[in-house]
Amino acid sequence: MHDAEIDQLFGPGGRLGQEVGGFRARQSQTEMAKAIAGAIAGQATLIAEAGTGTGKTFAYLVPALLWGGKVIVSTGTKNLQDQLFQRDIPTVRRALNVPVSVALLKGRANYVCHYHLERTLENGRLTSRDDIGYLRAISRFMKTTQSGDKAELAQVPETALIWNLVTSTRDTCMGAECQYYQDCFVMKARKEAQQADVVVVNHHLFFADVALKDTGVAELLPSANTIIFDEAHQLPDTATLFFGETISTSQVLELCRDVLAEGLSHARDGAEWAKVVMPVERAARDLRLAFPQDFVRFSVSQIAASSAFFPALKTLRKEFRAMIQTLESQAERADTIEQCRTRAIELGTRLDQWNAPTVAGAATADDKSGDGQECVLWVEAFSSSLQLHRTPLSIAPIFNKQREGVPRAWIFTSATLAVKNDFNHYASQMGLGNAPAQTWPSPFDYGQQGLLYVPHQMPQPNSPDYTDAVIDAALPLIEAAGGRSFLLCTTIRAVKRAAERLRAEFEQRQLPFPLLVQGEAGRTELLERFRAAGNAVLIGSQSFWEGVDVRGEALSLVIIDKLPFSPPDDPVLAARIEVMEKKGMNGFMHHQLPEAIITLKQGAGRLIRDEADRGVLMICDPRLISKPYGKRIWQSLPSFKRTRELNVAQAFFATPE
Ligand SMILES: Nc1ncnc2c1ncn2[C@@H]1O[C@H](COP(=O)(O)OP(=O)(O)OP(=O)(O)O)[C@@H](O)[C@H]1O
Ligand code: SF4
Ligand SMILES: [Mg+2]
């Protein structure tokens, strides 16, 4: 029905071709667009897979903008949101010449809050010179920005602590009472999202909302006709994160601080406020101190029965209840105390639901929650706080409930959903039953366009000088490629070390390649500079592995330091594997390996984005050759030619096209 129109748009001389340089008719892309148009028209669910770089973005945007009604597009990361909003959607809208309105919606913490900025400017006791400079920059930024989105202010690093002081949380937002409500960027973004035809969100935001109802997505859902998840392979993990529950001792301490402040200013005679909060604070601190280490994670079953954790938790619960009682009796003295009461009850309830078994020896990782879900209880220690997590092992039933009710189209798309052409694993993880699923073949000639190079003589990936060995092995190839490289690392630490080394080497060898390092500027800006430079080298971690699109010669070499296995200390992963092994499956072969293959395919997929693209994929990890599972890994990558010889790889760049 819409097929003819799609044929025309995507076909030779079609309107997309007029907007996009180097556009060619790709049969798989056209067919995929038709299937998506069909699902939209029939308000159906569709699982749609097509390889990296094959143009899925246009394949869903065209039918969505033409026939999708109110559309929510959710993608993996904030920088992919920006890529869609700033680049792909405007292109498609121009090509289609349709008057659809588009809005970008991010989480609250991305927008500068007038109220908190004002407070910080008035009484912020900033100690570091960086912070003072950043605050000044944020102040200036507020005078010109339309969106208040911190991504627009690349000058202040995304991870700078100052952002915490000038953004709001659900707990600290004044809402309709706020004097800045009219100008508030959070409210503005939500209003725009309400009114727009197409709203671009990310998976975290989408699922955070199911748990917190604070991001504005919940208000959008009822009116949405079409929901599209790009990078849909990430959904099981992201959803798991949010369908679970987390309580942090810092939330408790924050609440105590507010209770004390509000109590003293509005109900000084109502209670001995310091005595009310102190035992709670002490219990929260004791809970943290039960673990001497920083940055560790344990499932409940891994915590020794004799650990101070269990009695501390019991005390915290008891003292928390006492504080709630005081708040109950004083709540009517002031709105702010009433607010504290509501927060306390909510937090208290979650604290009670986190039923760590207290009986010595009887500890188990599994906990049947109220809705009959299997959950894993685990804790995570940070330098000054402890988080208690309760994570469901399967999100299928919860997500299924989300999809019930109003009929609408649900599109799940990604390059990596099926395992050997079988979508069952994905569909059952997501609770999609036997929804139709389809794969479209890649239009690229991988054997001609790409080369997989695995260097000789790499040390074991856990050896301390591993990153240096990666750089030593990669340098001659980076030189041969004339820059034009992505170095994708599995850890931030490796990013830092690699950056240090490359900076020094480039200087010493007088190589003119601009070095772009994740964290040194916003991601969108880094990518823009990378595309513009034409001979740059970019070093990044996770967020550059997926969805990132640099078409053409600017990117000709993708270097991957290690096979991307998830960290073995992840308690949720451990619990999943335990469940699998109980069923007689091998956790490594059935879970960790397939997950790592997906991530690796995504990383490798940054290379070939076009019929004319050529490039080398260098995977440094020796396990690709030495381990029995290595073969399964390289066999699941695009069918590049393969070599282990540096000179062959170097020669690839010298061959005329
Ligand atoms: N038919 C086409 N001809 C030429 N280029 C195209 C065509 N369709 C899309 N492109 C361009 O190809 C590049 C890759 O497209 P896109 O980013 O949509 O890939 P993808 O399928 O989403 O890959 P990934 O799974 O890695 O996200 C983009 O630069 C896009 O503009
Ligand atoms: S409404 Fe909330 S987010 Fe907006 S300016 Fe006020 S306190 Fe900040
Ligand atoms: Mg994509």
Side-chain angles (χ1 to χ4, degrees):
M1 138 204 52
H2 301 311
D3 287 7
E5 205 162 341
I6 289 177
D7 277 327
Q8 235 164 35
L9 283 164
F10 283 88
R15 288 210 300 277
L16 277 168
Q18 289 162 25
E19 285 299 330
V20 182
F23 193 89
R24 322 167 193 230
R26 289 179 186 162
Q27 199 194 348
S28 47
Q29 187 181 38
T30 314
E31 294 306 319
M32 184 173 167
K34 287 179 189 170
I36 291 174
I40 287 175
Q43 298 185 315
T45 298
L46 177 70
I47 304 175
E49 184 191 71
T52 48
T54 59
K56 292 184 287 296
T57 320
F58 293 162
Y60 66 75
L61 283 180
V62 167
L65 264 55
L66 285 176
W67 307 295
K70 173 124 189 161
V71 181
I72 299 178
V73 180
S74 181
T75 186
T77 58
K78 281 182 275 179
N79 57 321
L80 293 179
Q81 269 184 284
D82 292 335
Q83 190 171 292
L84 275 168
F85 184 74
Q86 286 165 15
R87 205 185 61 161
D88 300 323
I89 295 181
T91 305
V92 173
R93 195 166 51 175
R94 272 196 310 275
L96 302 178
N97 198 14
V98 284
V100 291
S101 55
V102 187
L104 185 64
L105 184 62
K106 297 183 181 173
R108 179 191 280 283
N110 291 281
Y111 302 98
V112 183
C113 159
H114 291 86
Y115 176 78
H116 285 94
L117 173 63
E118 183 78 30
R119 288 231 303 213
T120 306
L121 284 169
E122 272 167 14
N123 58 18
R125 281 172 287 270
L126 300 179
T127 43
S128 87
R129 181 170 291 184
D130 273 354
D131 281 347
I132 295 169
Y134 292 157
L135 189 62
R136 224 174 268 143
I138 294 170
S139 256
R140 272 198 309 271
F141 168 68
M142 288 291 267
K143 301 207 172 80
T144 53
T145 178
Q146 295 291 310
S147 70
D149 182 348
K150 71 182 198 186
E152 284 178 19
L153 186 61
Q155 186 186 345
V156 180
E158 202 183 348
T159 48
L161 289 175
I162 186 82
W163 290 120
N164 295 333
L165 296 177
V166 300
T167 53
S168 64
T169 65
R170 187 173 63 131
D171 287 344
T172 62
C173 172
M174 310 297 288
E177 319 261 285
C178 176
Q179 53 178 315
Y180 300 104
Y181 195 73
Q182 293 303 322
D183 305 316
C184 172
F185 290 123
V186 177
M187 304 304 155
K188 192 169 155 212
R190 288 181 187 183
K191 205 155 106 209
E192 282 172 8
Q194 279 286 329
Q195 289 161 356
D197 300 308
V198 177
V199 186
V200 183
V201 303
N202 61 63
H203 303 335
H204 278 251
L205 188 67
F206 192 95
F207 289 103
D209 201 66
V210 177
L212 299 174
K213 305 271 179 295
D214 177 50
T215 61
V217 177
E219 321 158 359
L220 297 177
L221 265 182
S223 59
N225 307 100
T226 302
I227 297 180
I228 299 171
F229 291 107
D230 196 352
E231 307 296 341
H233 60 279
Q234 298 176 0
L235 291 179
D237 276 354
T238 314
T240 300
L241 218 56
F242 288 100
F243 285 153
E245 259 174 16
T246 296
I247 313 153
S248 160
T249 53
S250 55
Q251 269 175 312
V252 174
L253 294 177
E254 243 167 60
L255 177 66
C256 287
R257 212 178 46 218
D258 292 351
V259 168
L260 183 64
E262 299 306 332
L264 286 180
S265 45
H266 301 290
R268 187 175 277 274
D269 55 344
E272 288 199 63
W273 293 101
K275 284 199 184 148
V276 172
V277 300
M278 235 154 44
V280 182
E281 289 178 334
R282 190 176 320 120
R285 293 213 173 89
D286 285 348
L287 198 66
R288 169 64 192 90
L289 294 175
F291 302 95
Q293 320 90 318
D294 284 355
F295 305 107
V296 285
R297 301 183 282 186
F298 298 108
S299 71
V300 167
S301 57
Q302 291 169 316
I303 304 175
S306 59
S307 163
F309 172 78
F310 296 107
L313 182 62
K314 206 166 150 195
T315 312
L316 178 60
R317 284 204 183 111
K318 190 175 109 229
E319 299 300 347
F320 207 87
R321 260 181 243 131
M323 182 170 80
I324 292 179
Q325 266 176 7
T326 309
L327 286 168
E328 299 269 357
S329 72
Q330 301 298 316
E332 54 194 28
R333 301 284 293 271
D335 283 352
T336 47
I337 300 183
E338 166 60 26
Q339 265 181 13
C340 288
R341 187 190 71 100
T342 324
R343 268 164 72 189
I345 288 181
E346 204 181 303
L347 205 57
T349 315
R350 277 191 277 151
L351 206 55
D352 286 338
Q353 277 170 354
W354 203 88
N355 335 301
T358 45
V359 192
T364 155
D366 296 346
D367 157 57
K368 291 266 187 207
S369 68
D371 42 13
Q373 277 275 314
E374 252 189 315
C375 289
V376 47
L377 297 178
W378 53 289
V379 301
E380 192 172 18
F382 295 95
S383 52
S384 60
S385 70
L386 185 78
Q387 297 196 339
L388 308 181
H389 302 279
R390 180 165 155 275
T391 304
L393 281 179
S394 163
I395 53 133
I398 314 175
F399 190 63
N400 229 330
K401 216 177 280 162
Q402 288 295 304
R403 296 197 311 121
E404 278 170 2
V406 191
R408 58 172 67 99
W410 293 85
I411 314 291
F412 299 81
T413 189
S414 157
T416 46
L417 293 171
V419 183
K420 293 194 182 135
N421 275 325
D422 182 1
F423 288 95
N424 267 325
H425 180 63
Y426 184 74
S428 70
Q429 264 184 313
M430 294 299 294
L432 301 179
N434 41 19
Q438 215 173 328
T439 304
W440 287 272
S442 165
F444 307 138
D445 181 353
Y446 287 120
Q448 288 299 316
Q449 295 180 249
L451 179 71
L452 169 64
Y453 166 55
V454 181
H456 283 296
Q457 287 177 342
M458 287 295 293
Q460 284 308 309
N462 56 2
S463 58
D465 51 356
Y466 185 76
T467 303
D468 290 84
V470 168
I471 298 300
D472 292 334
L475 258 170
L477 207 52
I478 293 176
E479 249 191 284
R484 304 191 296 151
S485 316
F486 266 16
L487 171 54
L488 300 178
C489 299
T490 44
T491 61
I492 299 279
R493 195 146 123 225
V495 169
K496 291 208 173 112
R497 178 67 193 144
E500 253 169 48
R501 274 291 311 277
L502 276 186
R503 186 159 292 129
E505 296 284 353
F506 286 178
E507 201 162 302
Q508 200 193 355
R509 298 170 190 224
Q510 298 193 325
L511 297 172
F513 314 139
L515 190 63
L516 305 169
V517 183
Q518 173 172 346
E520 292 185 354
R523 296 190 192 108
T524 311
E525 187 184 325
L526 285 178
L527 282 173
E528 262 163 29
R529 283 200 240 154
F530 185 89
R531 289 191 190 101
N535 66 341
V537 176
L538 184 148
I539 311 178
S541 71
Q542 277 87 354
S543 55
F544 286 93
W545 284 67
E546 309 193 353
V548 166
D549 177 58
V550 180
R551 191 155 64 111
E553 298 214 321
L555 176 58
S556 299
L557 170 62
V558 170
I559 305 158
I560 287 176
D561 70 339
K562 286 185 195 177
L563 297 177
F565 289 113
S566 11
D569 69 335
D570 179 343
V572 179
L573 179 67
R576 283 228 175 92
I577 289 173
E578 207 182 298
V579 170
M580 293 187 128
E581 302 203 324
K582 271 187 202 147
K583 290 183 194 156
M585 293 193 283
N586 175 322
F588 179 78
M589 293 308 279
H590 284 97
H591 194 82
Q592 278 159 296
L593 185 61
E595 297 275 300
I597 289 180
I598 286 179
T599 311
L600 189 67
K601 277 168 82 167
Q602 287 288 346
R606 301 314 104 214
L607 190 59
I608 305 296
R609 314 288 298 172
D610 187 330
E611 287 83 345
D613 261 3
R614 289 177 85 252
V616 174
L617 170 66
M618 172 175 179
I619 302 182
C620 301
D621 198 319
R623 289 174 293 184
L624 196 63
I625 308 295
S626 64
K627 295 286 181 191
Y629 57 76
K631 185 169 173 196
R632 225 177 104 190
I633 297 183
W634 58 255
Q635 281 181 337
S636 57
L637 291 172
S639 50
F640 296 145
K641 271 204 212 84
R642 299 193 302 273
T643 184
R644 302 211 58 196
E645 305 308 325
L646 176 63
N647 57 0
V648 176
Q650 284 169 314
F652 189 88
F653 291 111
T655 326
E657 294 188 14

